[in-house]
Amino acid sequence: MGTQGSDAFSRVAASLSDGVPDEVRPVSGPGSDSIDSRRRGGATRPRPLKTAIATVSISGTLDEKLAAIAAAGFTGVEILEQDLVADDRSPREIGQAARDAGLEVTLYQPFRDFEGLTGAARAKAFDRAERKFDLMQELGCELLLVVSSVHPEALGGIDRAAADLADLGERAARRGLRVGYEALAWGRFINDHRDAWEAVRRADHPAIGIILDSFHTLGRRIDPDTIRDIPGDRIFLVQVADAPAIEMDVLYWSRHFRNMPGEGDLDVTRFLRAAMATGYCGPVSLEIFNDQYRGAPPETIARDGYRALVALIDDVRRAEPKLAVDAPAIPGRVAARGLDVVEFHASGADAPGLAAMLDSLGFERLPSVATDGRQLWQQGEIRIAATPRPAAPAIASPTVARLGFRVASAADAVTRATALGAKPVSGPAGSDAGGRDAVCDPAGGIVQFLDDAAPQAGPATPAGGCGLVRIDHVAQTVPFEEMLAWSLFYTSLFDISAGPIIDLVDPGGLVRSRALGSPDGRVRLVLNGAETPRTLAGRFLAEGGGATVQHLAFATDDILATADRLAARGFESLPMPRNYYDDLAARFDIPADRLARMQAANILYDRVGDGEFFHLYSRPFGPGVVFEIVERRGGYGGYGAANASCRIAAQKRLAP
Ligand code: MG
Ligand code: MG
């Protein structure tokens, strides 16, 4: 990734400063009536936006963390005490290492169990603070995070906490340092940002401010709009984290399940809108404790964090016109109108098998103009490209190497994707071979954007085909621990929303599945997360050369007619057992003659309310790639998850 993320972000900001539509222009600026300028009684220039991430959020040694954080594009880092204590260098050397990596040390944390003590315990707490101040001065960090106390001997009372903070502020100010006070959601007396703010307000010391953390506010279901009452210059730091909606002990939830903004269920956007609407102009920082991240490569987590933060800040910028910081303007989420093109790479030995499969599905091969041996197939709005690739023993074939999305502006889509940290793909201009208006997905596959300037498909060919009109969905198999990253990749780039994660039962283990869909349902992606190679999805991952599309579903308006045409062309569907149809007969009122035709064609069925879903599968081929044909009726929005275990068992019988 290199410094590509940050470079892209600032390049975008620069390139958009002239001649941009008002919709993407930063609104606050000299002369604008920003809250900041009103508070200060005069016009002030918006400050450049600063971003940071806490070292606890990612894996690795401190040096690995610093390198990954800088490469992803952050401007600052929060140093967690345990990372400093475990390192064998002095605080001065660590601070220098951060600055050498191009990072400001935004914060040192945490300082625990400070306020509310009496007598010797109180004196000891102040001694501890002085030692940390020594360390911070060596480190070159001017802000300390004090979290609200959980000490068993601490006494409550806002005034007592305020008096302790005022005394601490006096000591910090003598050294040119500042202290931010944060309400832990599980704090003994102070566990709500409104109480933390009241203690800070009463402390009334310029070196004492509040630190806000989205988890502590939203995790306790405290209305984030109450933050709007806090003056922006009294907020010393804003930390953001998301989390899935799980009912559990709030401390355990916080320490193990936080995730990147946009990956969970908390309304982090509303929180950050409130914080930034105060005129706050300090860093926006990620503080994420997550068990999965601890095992992932530091570069990956830093990259995902930066992606999440850029998308979040862009959402805030659009919703809150008067910010005191200059958040770069980037094009909005891409409205994908369709997923039109899928490109396979196939070795010489596997290309004929793919061609035969596409022919049996009713695709028409277009006259080739490519000099690289690439073949183009079309049916309805669907285009499939098959590109020869020299056989590489480690990589299975054929595999999907490119997805082409129909969009309004390919240039805007590439701009947003690269600002979010995706790597642009360079290739021959004017070709349709994936080199144009394209970026890499997290596994190095190609996501291409096709607008009206892109080469058009030939005339639609429904009559000669099997009635396949468009791509209904693609299902991408990914390692389970990368599911959140993939989901974030798509939801931060496209105007697409993610459904809940559901379990699919494979005889060899569980597969976790999450569907992503555009508002009109024209673009649907399914992410299947595999944990063990004993599942079909896990074996595909292990043998298929990485995370990519495992099954590709085409829509028809009449699946029985399509099934007849497929049979006439020699297409072989995945055989479903008789037990399945006996079960369907017991569960649903399907007319006997219809059920008989469905059984003959191996068509599966699901029903939710008035919505009906009919689908059939090809036999697996290559590394386990499968084609599916679906008919949706009555607004059915799912994917036939009820049939998944039966279908997976049938596939495993063919490819044990
Ligand atoms: Mg925090
Ligand atoms: Mg499917």
Side-chain angles (χ1 to χ4, degrees):
M1 188 65 53
T3 54
Q4 184 251 315
S6 60
D7 288 355
F9 205 14
S10 44
R11 240 191 351 262
V12 167
S15 73
L16 288 177
S17 62
D18 293 312
V20 286
D22 286 344
E23 197 262 323
V24 293
R25 191 190 292 279
V27 175
S28 65
S32 77
D33 184 25
S34 75
I35 290 170
D36 194 50
S37 66
R38 271 184 277 134
R39 285 230 165 86
R40 287 157 203 268
T44 47
R45 285 190 75 84
R47 307 207 186 156
L49 176 75
K50 292 181 175 181
T51 55
I53 183 170
T55 51
V56 71
S57 311
I58 59 181
S59 63
T61 65
L62 187 51
D63 269 338
E64 289 167 341
K65 293 179 187 210
L66 293 175
I69 290 167
F74 293 94
T75 60
V77 59
E78 292 182 17
I79 304 273
L80 262 283
E81 186 159 78
Q82 64 252 40
D83 278 307
L84 180 134
V85 171
D87 203 272
D88 61 358
R89 290 167 296 181
S90 71
R92 191 177 308 278
E93 290 168 318
I94 291 171
Q96 195 53 50
R99 283 180 286 279
D100 288 347
L103 297 169
E104 186 178 302
V105 182
T106 302
L107 178 80
Y108 184 71
Q109 70 136 316
F111 190 69
R112 299 184 187 280
D113 292 334
F114 164 70
E115 79 279 14
L117 296 170
T118 57
R122 185 175 190 274
K124 175 73 182 153
F126 278 90
D127 284 350
R128 274 198 296 130
E130 293 283 1
R131 285 179 179 234
K132 295 305 168 190
F133 289 161
D134 293 342
L135 180 159
M136 287 167 61
Q137 286 183 304
E138 262 205 71
L139 187 61
C141 170
E142 57 93 45
L143 181 61
L144 176 70
L145 170 65
V146 173
V147 292
S148 60
S149 182
V150 298
H151 198 290
E153 288 163 27
L155 301 175
I158 300 268
D159 280 333
R160 184 184 302 274
D164 288 345
L165 288 171
D167 285 356
L168 190 62
E170 203 49 39
R171 294 180 186 226
R174 266 180 235 143
R175 302 181 187 232
L177 303 177
R178 297 185 303 153
V179 172
Y181 183 58
E182 178 191 72
L184 293 177
W186 53 90
R188 187 155 170 231
F189 297 105
I190 292 185
N191 47 38
D192 182 322
H193 70 251
R194 291 167 295 193
D195 289 340
W197 164 237
E198 189 54 25
V200 166
R201 193 186 68 78
R202 291 187 199 176
D204 194 22
H205 194 286
I208 296 291
I210 187 170
I211 289 181
L212 296 166
D213 180 324
S214 63
F215 182 89
H216 295 306
T217 293
L218 301 172
R220 290 196 60 232
R221 299 192 176 88
I222 298 165
D223 180 0
D225 283 333
T226 55
I227 291 168
R228 292 175 184 264
D229 297 333
I230 303 173
D233 58 358
R234 306 310 311 285
I235 302 172
F236 282 2
L237 187 67
V238 175
Q239 295 174 321
V240 287
D242 206 337
I246 311 172
E247 287 299 327
M248 66 166 72
D249 171 67
V250 68
L251 191 154
Y252 195 81
W253 187 28
S254 174
R255 294 267 168 85
H256 300 272
F257 291 93
R258 288 185 180 214
N259 54 25
M260 301 300 178
E263 290 184 344
D265 299 310
L266 302 181
D267 195 348
V268 184
T269 307
R270 193 158 151 242
F271 168 89
L272 190 60
R273 282 181 58 184
M276 294 188 76
T278 64
Y280 172 73
C281 50
V284 181
S285 188
L286 292 167
E287 189 197 27
I288 318 280
F289 306 84
N290 183 295
D291 295 347
Q292 278 181 32
Y293 296 175
R294 291 178 196 278
E299 303 76 28
T300 308
I301 298 304
R303 179 199 67 196
D304 287 348
Y306 187 73
R307 170 169 292 151
L309 205 50
V310 170
L312 172 65
I313 289 166
D314 184 54
D315 289 340
V316 168
R317 180 185 66 79
R318 286 162 191 282
E320 296 291 333
K322 291 172 181 171
L323 297 183
V325 291
D326 199 356
I330 59 173
R333 282 192 175 73
V334 180
R337 299 166 175 177
L339 169 49
D340 288 3
V341 180
V342 172
E343 177 173 5
F344 284 89
H345 281 176
S347 71
D350 296 314
L354 177 61
M357 173 67 87
L358 293 171
D359 181 69
S360 75
L361 283 161
F363 281 85
E364 183 181 323
R365 187 171 153 190
L366 302 180
S368 180
V369 290
T371 53
D372 57 1
R374 191 163 52 98
Q375 297 178 358
L376 271 180
W377 301 76
Q378 182 169 338
Q379 183 169 188
E381 297 169 12
I382 312 158
R383 276 188 293 163
I384 307 276
T387 303
R389 191 190 52 192
I395 301 173
S397 163
T399 45
V400 171
R402 172 171 64 110
L403 298 178
F405 294 86
R406 177 76 38 197
V407 302
S409 163
D412 281 356
V414 170
T415 302
R416 181 170 177 93
T418 50
L420 291 166
K423 208 164 87 184
V425 176
S426 57
S431 84
D432 185 32
R436 203 173 84 154
D437 298 329
V439 297
C440 290
D441 71 21
I446 295 174
V447 169
Q448 188 175 25
F449 308 105
L450 308 164
D451 59 18
D452 292 340
Q456 295 295 308
T461 58
C466 292
L468 308 183
V469 290
R470 82 186 77 83
I471 293 174
D472 182 87
H473 65 275
V474 298
Q476 195 159 359
T477 298
V478 304
F480 170 68
E481 62 274 16
E482 293 177 13
M483 272 187 89
L484 288 177
W486 279 94
S487 175
L488 178 68
F489 174 75
Y490 287 119
T491 58
S492 62
L493 174 56
F494 289 111
D495 179 15
I496 204 169
S497 55
I501 294 179
I502 58 171
D503 296 338
L504 304 180
V505 179
D506 178 297
L510 275 188
V511 174
R512 309 290 168 79
S513 186
R514 167 175 256 184
L516 313 174
S518 63
D520 62 2
R522 292 285 287 192
V523 173
R524 298 167 181 270
L525 302 163
V526 177
L527 299 172
N528 288 325
E531 286 179 278
T532 154
R534 295 183 62 234
T535 63
L536 209 59
R539 194 192 308 157
F540 175 80
L541 210 54
E543 297 174 6
T548 185
V549 172
Q550 185 166 14
H551 92 240
L552 184 51
F554 305 121
T556 171
D557 295 326
D558 183 347
I559 198 165
L560 289 172
T562 291
D564 287 345
R565 290 199 233 169
L566 289 171
R569 297 181 75 102
F571 172 85
E572 289 187 290
S573 54
L574 177 72
M576 295 301 295
R578 187 197 159 85
N579 292 343
Y580 174 77
Y581 293 94
D582 289 345
D583 183 56
L584 278 190
R587 287 161 61 212
F588 301 106
D589 290 325
I590 303 173
D593 57 332
R594 162 97 60 86
L595 191 63
R597 287 186 69 190
M598 287 165 57
Q599 182 174 357
N602 294 307
I603 295 171
L604 295 82
Y605 179 77
D606 189 29
R607 180 178 192 118
V608 176
D610 291 335
E612 289 186 291
F613 190 57
F614 300 84
H615 55 148
L616 65 85
Y617 291 85
S618 75
R619 292 165 183 251
F621 72 103
V625 176
V626 166
F627 289 110
E628 181 185 6
I629 289 156
V630 313
E631 181 186 347
R632 297 175 183 273
R633 288 190 195 165
Y636 181 94
Y639 300 85
N643 298 320
S645 54
C646 207
R647 179 257 304 173
I648 291 167
Q651 288 169 334
K652 278 193 150 174
R653 278 192 290 276
L654 292 183

